[in-house]
Amino acid sequence: MDETFIYICDFIGTLAFAISGIRLASAKHFDLFGAYVVGVTTAIGGGTMRDLMLGHPPFWMTNPFYLICSGIALVWVIVFRKLLVRQNNTWFLFDTIGLALFTVTGMEKTLQAGFPFWTAIIMGTMTGAGGGVIRDVLINEVPLIFRKEIYAMSCVLGGIAYWLGMHFDAPAEVSAIACAVVVIAMRLLAVHFKLKLPVLKGEGE
Amino acid sequence: MDETFIYICDFIGTLAFAISGIRLASAKHFDLFGAYVVGVTTAIGGGTMRDLMLGHPPFWMTNPFYLICSGIALVWVIVFRKLLVRQNNTWFLFDTIGLALFTVTGMEKTLQAGFPFWTAIIMGTMTGAGGGVIRDVLINEVPLIFRKEIYAMSCVLGGIAYWLGMHFDAPAEVSAIACAVVVIAMRLLAVHFKLKLPVLKGEGE
Amino acid sequence: MDETFIYICDFIGTLAFAISGIRLASAKHFDLFGAYVVGVTTAIGGGTMRDLMLGHPPFWMTNPFYLICSGIALVWVIVFRKLLVRQNNTWFLFDTIGLALFTVTGMEKTLQAGFPFWTAIIMGTMTGAGGGVIRDVLINEVPLIFRKEIYAMSCVLGGIAYWLGMHFDAPAEVSAIACAVVVIAMRLLAVHFKLKLPVLKGEGE
């Protein structure tokens, strides 16, 4: 894929992830430092877990891009505080693009490291959805993705699309695009039709 | 030890750990994905922390066995929801077998990596009891093992039994069995006699 | 710097960190094991995250010093329970010394591993302040350092002092001392003048 295009997607995805963390931190009256840490963790937490499990140094330790993005996100939230709700559709879209890109990146890195496909699907899902789980742990809430509309499952389905592409000898690029398209489509459908996974009933119910 | 026997213990231990996570997740109305993640994390979380600290790739990344076990656990909880309470004694037993096996595995891997004995005891305890701590963080509760009957302390005592075995030049197998027996015996005694560690008093009390 | 002096600072810093964890655990009625785990995690949690990200085995796995310190801290809290409040100034001072030393250690290890300066500042801050975040996650509270007086920001400022020292070709020792002095001074000023970072306003406010 075109490098500049990926770079732009990475930027808006990181921005959207960081902003989601900073907004939740501000609702809990965190200070600037706390809000920045929660924002940065949302943006890079999933990829950090992936890199540790793959035995790599976390990707952000050699590239200040992600920390700078998160700084821009912090300024954005401060400046546009009262307009954020009106920008919700944009941020949802950016978040979705980030989710798709991070899933693809996570899968590619895992396959390059020689792990099997099902491990790559887990790592892709972790790269996309893991940061949000750490975010929710830090703000002391039950992780949203365990209860809300389909989120992480779009990564899993995107991962399966990637696997199908490889299985039928499609070029890596085509598989990656198929993966991203499935993630984005699933997310849009999930939010539009309020698709949720079935909830497990408690034992006494 | 007999390989098939260990394999069976690993299966029922993983099953019991995953089921404990899934039951707690269902009490919090997690969806299917959330419940599966909590179940899998309970089963593999301790060993994952151990492997990261030992510098290995997490054990489940090359063997789908543990993810499949956790899937079976999810189906079990859905199908036998109303019977789970009646099965409590069985799951307690399976959990205890898992705790013993995971402690032994954690110790063996740490000693093989060349670390001292006291590190192996910590890693054995982490392998056995660490997954439950991550489970409780994910469901946003104070970790049970910090307040309930003796749980992690049985791993520590089992680890000391292992160390005594090695100290008196017993074969590795004998030490491992001694460790497992101590863990299981301590757990049974703890639950039967409701043994708890002393609770720390607050400063104003 | 004088080795014995660093050793003493390491001891009182570890002690103070562990005691802060054990006191919070006792307020939540954790048992002895739980309190010890929270204490030890507060003391070594930041350095453990740093070592995992740098690709080293965690520092405490080959040196029982830190686990013993945390054991002493546990005994201290039990014995001097009713006097701890009166000792608050001492523990604050010891905690501050620990924060300074851990920040310096974190920076040095990261620079030695060949990472850039801004990564070292993050790792220094994580070494100093990360254990407290894990502590608060384990006791199921929102991390204190995201809302209280300036704490982690003193590490960041100390890190910048270190960087300035290196930038102007000061010997490593001078940079390290400058870093420690800035951390300690900032902490003292922050607590004396109740300096806080601005709090982010929620969106509806």
Side-chain angles (χ1 to χ4, degrees):
Chain A
M1 274 191 269
D2 183 38
E3 284 233 340
T4 318
F5 177 69
I6 292 180
Y7 201 74
I8 292 171
C9 289
D10 206 6
F11 177 71
I12 63 182
T14 305
L15 207 61
F17 273 50
I19 281 181
S20 92
I22 295 166
R23 289 175 78 173
L24 288 170
S26 81
K28 295 240 165 181
H29 300 288
F30 280 28
D31 66 24
L32 284 181
F33 174 82
Y36 180 74
V37 170
V38 175
V40 112
T41 306
T42 312
I44 68 173
T48 302
M49 287 198 286
R50 174 204 63 212
D51 283 345
L52 289 178
M53 289 184 186
L54 295 179
H56 304 156
F59 63 102
W60 51 268
M61 287 175 69
T62 45
N63 183 351
F65 175 77
Y66 301 93
L67 302 170
I68 294 169
C69 276
S70 305
I72 295 173
L74 184 61
V75 173
W76 191 279
V77 170
I78 294 169
V79 172
F80 295 107
R81 183 165 63 89
K82 305 212 167 195
L83 301 172
L84 282 172
V85 173
R86 251 190 278 165
Q87 298 168 355
N88 267 351
N89 285 338
T90 310
W91 291 120
F92 165 69
L93 203 69
F94 284 13
D95 190 277
T96 303
I97 291 166
L99 190 68
L101 179 66
F102 296 171
T103 306
V104 171
T105 315
M107 290 203 65
E108 282 173 350
K109 287 204 180 184
T110 310
L111 292 173
Q112 274 159 25
F115 286 98
F117 247 105
W118 55 269
T119 312
I121 294 178
I122 296 171
M123 290 292 149
T125 307
M126 193 186 284
T127 310
V133 173
I134 306 184
R135 172 198 70 201
D136 294 340
V137 166
L138 286 181
I139 61 169
N140 202 19
E141 294 283 348
V142 167
L144 254 183
I145 64 157
F146 295 163
R147 304 205 289 189
K148 242 190 21 172
E149 310 101 19
I150 284 167
Y151 190 87
M153 276 308 286
S154 353
C155 305
V156 174
L157 293 174
I160 291 170
Y162 197 113
W163 173 73
L164 284 174
M166 295 298 266
H167 186 70
F168 291 112
D169 287 322
E173 245 180 42
V174 172
S175 302
I177 292 170
C179 173
V181 167
V182 169
V183 174
I184 293 172
M186 274 307 301
R187 256 320 261 161
L188 295 178
L189 290 172
V191 167
H192 191 259
F193 293 106
K194 298 195 198 289
L195 301 181
K196 298 188 183 199
L197 288 172
V199 168
L200 246 72
K201 279 188 199 154
E203 283 159 39
E205 290 161 49
Chain B
M1 274 193 267
D2 182 39
E3 285 233 339
T4 319
F5 178 69
I6 293 180
Y7 201 74
I8 293 171
C9 289
D10 205 7
F11 177 72
I12 64 182
T14 305
L15 207 61
F17 274 50
I19 281 182
S20 92
I22 295 166
R23 288 175 78 174
L24 289 169
S26 81
K28 296 240 165 179
H29 300 288
F30 281 27
D31 64 24
L32 283 181
F33 175 81
Y36 181 74
V37 170
V38 174
V40 112
T41 307
T42 311
I44 68 173
T48 302
M49 287 197 287
R50 174 204 63 212
D51 283 344
L52 290 177
M53 290 185 184
L54 295 179
H56 304 157
F59 63 102
W60 50 268
M61 286 173 70
T62 45
N63 182 351
F65 175 77
Y66 302 94
L67 302 170
I68 294 168
C69 275
S70 305
I72 295 172
L74 183 61
V75 173
W76 192 280
V77 171
I78 294 169
V79 173
F80 295 107
R81 183 165 62 90
K82 305 213 168 195
L83 302 171
L84 282 172
V85 174
R86 252 192 276 166
Q87 299 168 355
N88 267 350
N89 285 338
T90 310
W91 290 121
F92 165 69
L93 203 70
F94 284 12
D95 189 278
T96 303
I97 291 167
L99 191 67
L101 178 67
F102 296 171
T103 306
V104 171
T105 315
M107 291 203 64
E108 282 173 351
K109 287 203 181 186
T110 311
L111 292 173
Q112 273 160 23
F115 286 98
F117 247 105
W118 55 269
T119 312
I121 295 177
I122 297 170
M123 290 291 149
T125 307
M126 193 185 283
T127 310
V133 174
I134 306 184
R135 171 198 68 201
D136 295 340
V137 166
L138 287 181
I139 61 168
N140 202 19
E141 295 283 347
V142 167
L144 254 183
I145 65 157
F146 294 164
R147 304 205 289 190
K148 242 191 22 172
E149 312 101 15
I150 285 167
Y151 190 87
M153 277 307 287
S154 354
C155 305
V156 175
L157 293 174
I160 292 171
Y162 197 114
W163 173 74
L164 284 173
M166 295 298 266
H167 186 71
F168 292 113
D169 287 322
E173 244 179 42
V174 172
S175 301
I177 292 170
C179 172
V181 167
V182 169
V183 174
I184 292 171
M186 275 306 303
R187 257 318 263 162
L188 294 179
L189 291 172
V191 167
H192 191 258
F193 295 107
K194 299 196 198 286
L195 299 180
K196 298 187 184 199
L197 288 173
V199 167
L200 248 71
K201 278 186 198 155
E203 283 158 40
E205 293 162 45
Chain C
M1 274 192 268
D2 183 38
E3 284 232 340
T4 319
F5 177 70
I6 292 180
Y7 200 75
I8 292 170
C9 289
D10 206 6
F11 177 71
I12 64 182
T14 305
L15 208 61
F17 273 50
I19 281 181
S20 92
I22 295 166
R23 289 176 78 174
L24 289 170
S26 82
K28 295 241 167 180
H29 300 288
F30 281 28
D31 65 25
L32 284 181
F33 174 81
Y36 180 75
V37 170
V38 175
V40 112
T41 307
T42 312
I44 67 173
T48 302
M49 286 197 287
R50 173 204 64 211
D51 284 344
L52 289 178
M53 289 183 185
L54 294 179
H56 303 157
F59 64 102
W60 51 267
M61 286 174 68
T62 46
N63 183 352
F65 176 78
Y66 301 93
L67 302 171
I68 294 168
C69 276
S70 305
I72 295 173
L74 183 61
V75 173
W76 192 280
V77 170
I78 294 169
V79 172
F80 294 108
R81 183 165 62 92
K82 304 213 167 193
L83 301 171
L84 282 171
V85 173
R86 253 191 276 166
Q87 297 167 357
N88 266 351
N89 285 338
T90 310
W91 291 120
F92 166 69
L93 203 70
F94 284 13
D95 190 277
T96 304
I97 291 167
L99 191 68
L101 178 66
F102 297 170
T103 307
V104 171
T105 315
M107 291 203 64
E108 282 173 351
K109 287 203 180 185
T110 311
L111 293 172
Q112 274 160 23
F115 286 98
F117 248 105
W118 56 267
T119 311
I121 295 178
I122 296 170
M123 290 291 150
T125 307
M126 193 186 284
T127 310
V133 174
I134 306 183
R135 172 197 70 202
D136 295 341
V137 166
L138 286 181
I139 61 169
N140 202 18
E141 295 282 348
V142 167
L144 254 182
I145 65 158
F146 294 164
R147 305 204 288 190
K148 242 191 22 172
E149 312 100 17
I150 284 168
Y151 190 88
M153 277 307 287
S154 351
C155 305
V156 175
L157 293 173
I160 292 170
Y162 197 114
W163 172 73
L164 284 173
M166 295 298 267
H167 187 70
F168 292 112
D169 287 322
E173 245 179 42
V174 172
S175 302
I177 292 170
C179 172
V181 167
V182 168
V183 174
I184 292 171
M186 274 306 302
R187 252 324 257 161
L188 295 177
L189 290 171
V191 167
H192 190 260
F193 293 107
K194 298 196 198 288
L195 299 180
K196 298 187 183 200
L197 288 173
V199 167
L200 248 72
K201 279 188 198 152
E203 283 159 40
E205 292 162 47

